[in-house]
C-alpha cells in the first residue's frame, strides 16, 4: 500500500476504530511476486529469473508462498479506500531506482 494510504488509515484508526479493533492494512490483493520481480528487473536492468525457494531459506517460503490478505473489514469499518498508486505503479515510477 502506498504511504499516503497508510497514513490516512492510521489517522482513521486512531480517530474512529473501536478499542480492540483488529485492522488489516492492505491496499491491493494478489500481486504476483513474478510481476514485482519483472518490474524491478526492468528498472534496474538486471535479469529476473526463477529461483528454487529452498535456495533462499526462510525468505523462499515467504516470497514463494501464497499469503492471501484482505482489508475488506477494515475498509467497511472505517469507510477507507486506498487511492494512492498500486505497488506496480509505484515501482514503475522509479522512485526506488532513480
Amino acid at each position: 500500500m502506498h504511504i499516503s494510504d497508510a497514513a490516512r488509515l492510521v489517522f482513521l484508526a486512531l480517530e474512529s476504530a473501536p478499542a480492540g479493533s483488529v485492522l488489516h492494512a492492505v491496499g491491493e490483493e494478489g500481486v504476483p511476486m513474478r510481476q514485482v520481480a519483472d518490474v524491478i528487473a526492468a528498472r534496474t536492468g538486471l535479469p529476473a529469473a526463477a529461483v528454487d525457494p529452498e535456495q533462499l531459506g526462510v525468505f523462499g517460503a515467504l516470497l514463494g508462498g501464497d499469503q492471501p490478505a484482505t482489508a475488506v473489514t477494515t475498509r467497511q469499518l472505517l469507510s477507507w479506500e486506498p487511492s494512492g498508486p498500486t505497488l506496480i505503479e509505484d515501482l514503475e515510477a522509479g522512485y526506488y531506482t532513480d
Side-chain angles (χ1 to χ4, degrees):
M1 144 183 14
H2 194 265
I3 192 164
S4 61
D5 293 321
R8 197 168 60 257
L9 179 58
V10 168
F11 174 80
L12 289 170
L14 291 171
E15 290 288 317
S16 305
S21 295
V22 175
L23 305 174
H24 204 122
V26 177
E28 56 189 310
E29 300 175 24
V31 180
M33 186 54 68
R34 180 58 196 221
Q35 190 176 3
V36 173
D38 287 341
V39 172
I40 292 171
R43 294 293 309 170
T44 61
L46 298 170
V51 175
D52 181 354
E54 290 187 19
Q55 291 178 303
L56 301 175
V58 68
F59 294 110
L62 292 171
L63 294 173
D66 187 18
Q67 301 174 28
T70 182
V72 170
T73 302
T74 299
R75 291 176 187 207
Q76 292 170 347
L77 180 66
L78 300 176
S79 298
W80 170 74
E81 280 299 322
S83 60
T86 65
L87 173 60
I88 299 302
E89 291 169 345
D90 206 22
L91 291 172
E92 287 175 337
Y95 303 121
Y96 308 100
T97 56
D98 293 343

